[in-house]
């Protein structure tokens, strides 16, 4: 899954994809690199970020989705807002990627009636303050319990299990040690009977390990993505599509 940010204050592109045109150019490049799916996001969720209103988010995301649906590439939309989910599913998006795990009133129903797939992400707290002092007594069990509750809620709302994906939410209200425990125990999530999606690309936990700033996190991102794949992750949310695909090609060749 290749990341396309349409946010002026986006986490890694710093405004590079601020316009529809730039976002489309970036999406086209990822398609050329062999991406399997694109994740379009109009609201930055980096630690400390502030939310945008529905109108602004739709203004950023919808034209990009509309332009990409004809390109024969599956489109996911990174949003927590039911209005944005509704409009983008109508425009042809096949998946909703929600760091708020479809907890907004109406979100489950919009995804269920729209026939879309969904990624349910764990987050402790909210983006503006989630990294202040994250605490767990047992991070793996707590994240797992939350995701199981959301799987149950989604199924009750009429979203079939086959359309669900779960994500432990690396960096979303977690210290480096929490993130490492989750990665170490990723097989406990792949055991839950729902595909696991992992987003580690260029995240600050990689910078904490290597000391590299965000523009120099390609190698650590590819390593982390590969480790997640070996532990059973089925979808990797990445910035560096070509590099990640090559790492996966080596792994796949090895395991035959
Ligand atoms: C994730 C995400 C992630 C899923 C972001 C960033 C921050 N969606 N959206 N998983 N991260 N499913 O890319 O660093 O980890 S935004």
């Amino acid at each position: 899954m290749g990341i396309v940010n349409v946010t002026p204050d986006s986490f890694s592109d710093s405004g590079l994809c601020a316009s529809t045109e730039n976002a489309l150019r970036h999406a086209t490049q990822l398609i050329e690199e062999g991406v399997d799916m694109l994740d379009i996001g109009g609201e930055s969720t980096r630690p400390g970020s502030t939310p945008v209103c529905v109108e602004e988010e739709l203004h950023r995301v919808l034209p990009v989705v509309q332009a990409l649906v004809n390109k024969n590439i599956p489109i996911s939309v990174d949003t927590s807002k039911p209005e944005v989910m509704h409009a983008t599913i109508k425009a042809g998006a096949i998946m909703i990627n929600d760091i708020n795990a479809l907890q907004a009133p109406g979100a489950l129903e919009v995804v269920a009636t729209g026939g879309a797939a969904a990624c349910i992400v764990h987050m402790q707290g909210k983006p503006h303050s989630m990294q202040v002092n994250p605490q767990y007594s047992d991070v793996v069990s707590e994240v797992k319990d939350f995701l199981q509750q959301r799987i149950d809620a989604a199924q009750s709302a009429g979203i079939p299990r086959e359309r669900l994906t779960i994500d432990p939410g690396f960096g979303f209200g977690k210290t480096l040690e929490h993130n490492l425990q989750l990665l170490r125990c990723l097989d406990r999530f792949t055991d839950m009977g729902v595909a696991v999606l992992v987003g580690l690309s260029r995240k600050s936990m990689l910078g904490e390990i290597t000391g590299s700033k965000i523009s120099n996190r390609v190698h650590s991102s590819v390593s982390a993505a590969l480790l997640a794949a070996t532990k059973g992750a089925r979808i990797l949310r990445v910035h560096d599509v070509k590099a990640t695909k090559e790492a996966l090609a080596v792994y796949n060749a090895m395991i035959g």
Side-chain angles (χ1 to χ4, degrees):
M1 169 188 271
I3 301 167
V4 179
N5 288 318
V6 205
T7 52
D9 61 345
S10 69
F11 173 53
S12 63
D13 298 310
S14 337
L16 197 76
C17 292
S19 69
T20 304
E21 203 178 290
N22 282 340
L24 291 176
R25 199 177 305 124
H26 187 61
T28 305
Q29 191 197 321
L30 298 185
I31 292 169
E32 279 164 17
E33 292 181 20
V35 78
D36 294 316
M37 173 178 224
L38 292 170
D39 189 39
I40 318 293
E43 176 175 64
S44 173
T45 47
R46 62 187 288 191
S49 62
T50 47
V52 296
C53 66
V54 173
E55 290 71 29
E56 175 62 19
E57 195 178 326
L58 266 179
H59 172 73
R60 293 178 187 178
V61 162
L62 196 55
V64 178
V65 173
Q66 285 166 336
L68 288 172
V69 284
N70 303 319
K71 296 222 178 198
N72 224 10
I73 190 91
I75 303 293
S76 156
V77 175
D78 192 339
T79 187
S80 297
K81 296 187 182 69
E83 298 89 340
V84 177
M85 296 174 188
H86 178 76
T88 54
I89 292 170
K90 220 170 115 193
I94 60 131
M95 177 158 139
I96 297 300
N97 174 28
D98 184 5
I99 59 155
N100 194 39
L102 305 177
Q103 292 179 103
L108 287 168
E109 291 71 22
V110 167
V111 171
T113 55
C119 179
I120 293 168
V121 187
H122 175 274
M123 169 168 64
Q124 185 180 87
K126 292 279 173 254
H128 69 94
S129 59
M130 65 191 176
Q131 290 306 106
V132 174
N133 187 22
Q135 294 200 344
Y136 301 85
S137 48
D138 177 346
V139 66
V140 175
S141 300
E142 286 172 47
V143 172
K144 235 185 115 153
D145 288 350
F146 172 82
L147 292 174
Q148 187 59 57
Q149 280 170 27
R150 298 310 298 159
I151 291 170
D152 296 344
Q155 287 192 278
S156 303
I159 308 172
R161 206 179 179 77
E162 313 82 70
R163 285 205 220 123
L164 293 173
T165 308
I166 51 170
D167 181 341
F170 291 98
F172 286 100
K174 282 127 192 148
T175 63
L176 174 60
E177 190 45 45
H178 295 143
N179 289 319
L180 289 174
Q181 263 175 271
L182 289 167
L183 186 55
R184 217 174 272 135
C185 299
L186 202 66
D187 42 342
R188 286 181 56 194
F189 294 91
T190 54
D191 280 353
M192 290 171 73
V194 169
V196 171
L197 187 154
V198 160
L200 290 156
S201 191
R202 300 188 191 174
K203 287 200 171 168
S204 63
M205 64 176 278
L206 303 176
E208 285 183 64
I209 296 168
T210 62
S212 292
K213 59 184 195 324
I214 197 155
S215 54
N216 277 321
R217 292 184 193 154
V218 179
H219 307 87
S220 53
S221 296
V222 172
S223 308
L226 187 60
L227 288 170
T230 65
K231 288 196 158 274
R234 296 284 303 277
I235 304 179
L236 305 167
R237 184 180 178 277
V238 303
H239 298 87
D240 304 290
V241 170
K242 185 166 188 282
T244 310
K245 283 197 68 133
E246 289 189 358
L248 289 174
V250 175
Y251 174 57
N252 286 330
M254 181 192 77
I255 63 174

